[in-house]
């Protein structure tokens, strides 16, 4: 087992984590970002970003690479695709074990593990992922030329993606569990006036069926409980995001009822020396700009915390 | 051309030579899209590390004419999400996956299919 020491460790290299990395490294604190996946987080999933101020139009991949380069240029160390095998945030010196062979120690932690698309968690979903079930219209839309597809969800993403999928599909059915949509009015109007779109409201999919690929779904009417089989070529699922906080279950960090991290206005968690930023936290608006803002606030408070600890140490010597 | 740090398979011939002359081959056939980039990233990292020196990692542009060698494999029939990732042992296809894969998913296939 190898041991390495840092001033601060950031879990997650999305926009929140990368921003925190930039600020902490610029403050000359020895900083490490650990990510279990690709650096950039959900930004990488976005083909086009048009609402990040100061950057006219870019891809999520480009914006991620620029942020990553910036962080590295200030001395921040970054490791991607790591497996976190154990954590101890309660002791004064925090510990994170990675890949079962290295333990990182630090004075402070920032949790910036973001979120991921929610899945339906029903029979057949894993089997037909990539074989008819998709979570990315821009990536997979063209496999469904002249096919019949379902879009699940009632938010902005579901309705906007349903409209964009009509470029390929001959028919798009929007299956949504309520009788009204959470999406903004203009998104609903766009979908309503599209002739290729039909609405299957107050309904939910209960099972996916097929052989080599998806062939049909079972749909239940929530009011009547009537279940029918609908033959279909593809299903796109857009039912929102959930915080990546499973690894904190049964740990000391306080989560709310949706498993989002509870923080105070300094983005400090209930544990001393542990801060949180971005989509993993309880908040209303989940955007790159808000993640970047959280990254800044958490980093500045983390720096202050570390320096105050160092100061106390100096006083006591 | 894909903008990755992996070596690219550019033609049918390239593909044939690669799987005939290398014992363990992983090819990710995709675009520069959101579900493909994380898989290239995992492959680049594994290629640089010590544990998978016995595997040849490559990518291939999904929309190129010759990528039909992967698009039209019987084992990728029914695939409807990018990227298509295929694993060959001694020239024979041993695994194929569709859509994004995590580092853990990729390494568990490599460990199982290409045991040292
Ligand atoms: C398809 C799509 C399009 C979007 N388009 C836009 C847009 O145009 N404009 C906009 O402003 N916002 C957009 N967003 C939202 C925006 O991307 C997110 O709000 C933002 O990325 C959140 O940043 P974050 O750093 O908090 O988390 P994330 O971006 O989710 O990053 C979290 C990182 O943490 C890592 N991680 C997770 N768990 C662990 C763990 N246990 N240990 C270590 N690492 C871990 C993940 O691998 C990931 O890299 C979009 C989101 C999606 C999905």
């Amino acid at each position: 087992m190898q041991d390495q020491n840092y001033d601060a460790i950031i879990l997650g290299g999305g926009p929140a984590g990368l921003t925190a990395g930039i600020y902490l490294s610029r403050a000359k604190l020895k900083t490490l970002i650990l990510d279990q996946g690709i650096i950039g987080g959900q930004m990488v999933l976005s083909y086009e970003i048009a609402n990040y101020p100061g950057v006219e139009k870019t891809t999520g991949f480009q914006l991620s690479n620029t942020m990553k380069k910036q962080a590295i240029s200030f001395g921040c160390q970054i490791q991607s695709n790591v497996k976190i095998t154990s954590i101890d945030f309660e002791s004064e010196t925090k510990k994170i074990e990675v890949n079962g062979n290295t333990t990182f120690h630090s004075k402070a932690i920032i949790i910036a593990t973001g979120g991921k698309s929610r899945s339906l968690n029903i029979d057949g979903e894993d089997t037909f992922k990539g074989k008819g079930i998709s979570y990315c219209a821009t990536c997979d839309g063209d496999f469904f030329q002249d096919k019949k597809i379902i879009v699940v969800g009632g938010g902005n993403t579901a309705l906007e993606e349903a409209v964009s999928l009509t470029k390929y599909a001959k028919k798009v059915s929007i299956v949504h569990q309520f009788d009204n949509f959470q999406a903004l009015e203009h998104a609903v109007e766009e979908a309503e006036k599209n002739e290729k779109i039909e609405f299957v409201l107050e309904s939910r999919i209960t099972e996916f069926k097929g052989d080599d690929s998806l062939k049909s779904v079972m749909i239940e009417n929530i009011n009547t409980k009537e279940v029918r089989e609908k033959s279909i070529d593809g299903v796109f699922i857009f039912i929102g995001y959930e915080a990546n906080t499973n690894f904190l279950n049964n740990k000391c960090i306080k989560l709310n009822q949706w498993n989002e991290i509870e923080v105070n206005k300094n983005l400090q968690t209930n544990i001393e020396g542990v801060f949180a930023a971005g989509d993993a936290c309880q908040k209303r608006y989940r955007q790159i700009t808000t993640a970047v803002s959280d990254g800044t606030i958490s980093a500045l408070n983390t720096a202050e915390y570390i320096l105050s600890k160092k100061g106390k140490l100096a006083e006591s010597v | 051309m894909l903008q990755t740090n992996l070596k690219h398979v550019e033609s049918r011939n390239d593909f044939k030579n690669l799987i005939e002359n290398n014992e363990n081959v992983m090819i990710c056939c995709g675009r520069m899209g959101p579900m493909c980039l994380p898989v290239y990233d995992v492959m680049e990292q594994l290629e640089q590390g010590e544990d998978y020196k016995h595997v040849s990692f490559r990518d291939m542009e999904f929309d190129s004419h010759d990528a039909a060698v992967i698009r039209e494999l019987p084992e990728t029939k029914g695939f409807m999400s990018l990227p298509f990732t295929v694993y060959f042992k001694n020239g024979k296809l041993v695994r194929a996956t569709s859509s994004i894969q995590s580092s853990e998913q990729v390494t568990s296939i490599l460990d199982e299919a290409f045991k040292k």
Side-chain angles (χ1 to χ4, degrees):
Chain A
M1 185 73 73
Q2 269 184 30
D3 285 277
Q4 294 183 26
N5 294 314
Y6 286 86
D7 288 316
I9 297 177
I10 300 161
L11 276 180
L18 287 169
T19 307
I22 291 170
Y23 274 80
L24 288 167
S25 316
R26 278 200 88 198
K28 301 274 178 267
L29 293 167
K30 192 177 173 201
T31 305
L32 172 69
I33 296 178
L34 293 172
D35 197 301
Q36 67 175 19
I38 187 172
I39 296 301
Q42 292 172 70
M43 271 193 299
V44 178
L45 300 181
S46 187
Y47 258 111
E48 186 185 280
I49 292 165
N51 57 0
Y52 190 74
V55 181
E56 264 185 272
K57 211 184 248 184
T58 184
T59 66
F61 183 56
Q62 271 167 343
L63 190 57
S64 303
N65 273 346
T66 310
M67 287 189 190
K68 179 175 161 187
K69 270 194 211 144
Q70 255 177 303
I72 291 172
S73 76
F74 295 122
C76 183
Q77 294 175 33
I78 299 182
Q79 293 189 16
S80 58
N81 297 308
V82 296
K83 189 172 175 200
I84 311 286
T85 37
S86 100
I87 55 173
D88 169 11
F89 291 166
E90 274 175 292
S91 317
E92 186 163 351
T93 300
K94 319 293 175 199
K95 285 191 211 116
I96 299 179
E97 187 192 282
V98 165
N99 300 334
N101 57 23
T102 309
T103 306
F104 296 108
H105 305 258
S106 70
K107 300 181 182 74
I109 296 282
I110 298 178
I111 305 170
T113 49
K116 59 169 186 281
S117 8
R118 195 172 276 148
S119 42
L120 289 169
N121 284 326
I122 56 172
D123 283 351
E125 191 169 359
D126 277 340
T127 315
F128 297 111
K129 250 179 211 167
K131 297 175 183 171
I133 298 180
S134 174
Y135 302 83
C136 178
T138 341
C139 311
D140 301 330
D142 60 355
F143 287 104
F144 296 92
Q145 196 73 48
D146 297 323
K147 304 243 155 101
K148 286 184 297 173
I149 60 171
I150 285 177
V151 166
V152 184
N156 282 320
T157 310
L159 290 165
E160 282 164 15
E161 297 293 30
V163 171
S164 90
L165 283 163
T166 58
K167 278 192 293 211
Y168 311 102
K170 71 172 174 219
K171 178 140 199 202
V172 178
S173 310
I174 298 179
V175 175
H176 181 45
Q177 57 183 332
F178 303 115
D179 64 354
N180 63 323
F181 293 102
Q182 297 94 316
L184 296 172
E185 210 166 300
H186 74 86
V188 181
E189 274 168 20
E190 280 296 305
E192 276 173 347
K193 69 178 189 223
N194 192 308
E195 284 175 1
K196 286 187 177 177
I197 294 182
E198 74 161 1
F199 295 94
V200 184
L201 300 181
E202 297 183 88
S203 299
R204 62 185 184 106
I205 295 181
T206 53
E207 193 184 344
F208 295 101
K209 291 173 150 188
D211 38 48
D212 274 350
S213 59
L214 181 70
K215 292 284 179 314
S216 66
V217 293
M218 302 304 290
I219 300 183
E220 180 193 54
N221 179 304
I222 287 169
N223 294 327
T224 62
K225 302 282 174 231
E226 184 197 330
V227 180
R228 68 187 167 104
E229 185 162 0
K230 185 176 172 69
S231 74
I232 207 78
D233 301 300
V235 174
F236 286 78
I237 301 172
F238 303 112
I239 51 168
Y241 287 84
E242 60 191 3
N244 284 324
T245 53
N246 274 352
F247 73 109
L248 297 172
N249 281 348
N250 307 319
K251 296 278 187 280
C252 46
I253 306 288
K254 206 163 167 205
L255 306 177
N256 69 11
Q257 64 189 112
W258 296 286
N259 282 333
E260 299 157 351
I261 303 168
E262 289 191 9
V263 282
N264 65 17
K265 69 177 182 352
N266 294 328
L267 301 188
Q268 170 145 27
T269 67
N270 58 312
I271 301 292
E272 197 184 310
V274 181
F275 296 79
D279 282 12
C281 301
Q282 56 180 21
K283 64 197 242 179
R284 178 144 180 221
Y285 297 113
R286 293 189 159 81
Q287 288 286 289
I288 299 169
T289 47
T290 58
V292 162
S293 158
D294 281 0
T296 310
I297 296 166
S298 65
L300 294 175
N301 286 309
T302 300
E304 196 176 298
Y305 171 80
I306 294 171
L307 295 174
S308 77
K309 285 270 157 199
K310 282 187 176 170
K312 276 194 195 124
L313 198 68
E315 270 168 30
S316 68
V317 177
Chain B
M1 180 83 76
L2 296 168
Q3 294 105 51
T4 72
N5 296 319
L6 294 165
K7 286 194 189 134
H8 314 300
V9 180
E10 289 178 31
S11 65
R12 241 170 228 276
N13 252 345
D14 258 11
F15 172 78
K16 194 165 167 281
N17 287 336
L18 177 72
I19 63 167
E20 280 178 4
N21 298 317
N22 294 278
E23 186 182 341
N24 304 308
V25 178
M26 172 182 181
I27 310 170
C28 181
C29 185
R31 296 179 179 141
M32 288 308 286
M35 299 290 154
C36 306
L37 295 168
V39 185
Y40 306 140
D41 189 61
V42 168
M43 292 169 76
E44 285 175 9
Q45 210 153 335
L46 295 177
E47 190 175 43
Q48 281 161 23
E50 290 302 314
D51 294 345
Y52 296 95
K53 291 276 177 229
H54 59 301
V55 180
S56 307
F57 295 96
R58 299 286 188 281
D59 61 29
M60 189 168 193
E61 173 90 61
F62 188 83
D63 298 305
S64 70
H65 180 260
D66 284 3
V69 290
I70 291 172
R71 287 194 310 259
E72 290 169 11
L73 283 165
E75 291 82 356
T76 60
K77 183 174 164 266
F79 281 12
M80 280 180 267
S81 285
L82 289 177
F84 292 9
T85 308
V86 286
Y87 300 79
F88 289 88
K89 175 127 195 122
N90 296 321
K92 202 169 157 268
L93 189 127
V94 286
R95 282 297 292 271
T97 63
S98 172
S99 193
I100 190 170
Q101 301 283 310
S102 67
S103 176
E104 259 183 295
Q105 287 170 313
V106 171
T107 51
S108 93
I109 294 177
L110 294 177
D111 292 342
E112 194 196 307
F114 303 151
K115 273 194 200 100
K116 272 197 261 190

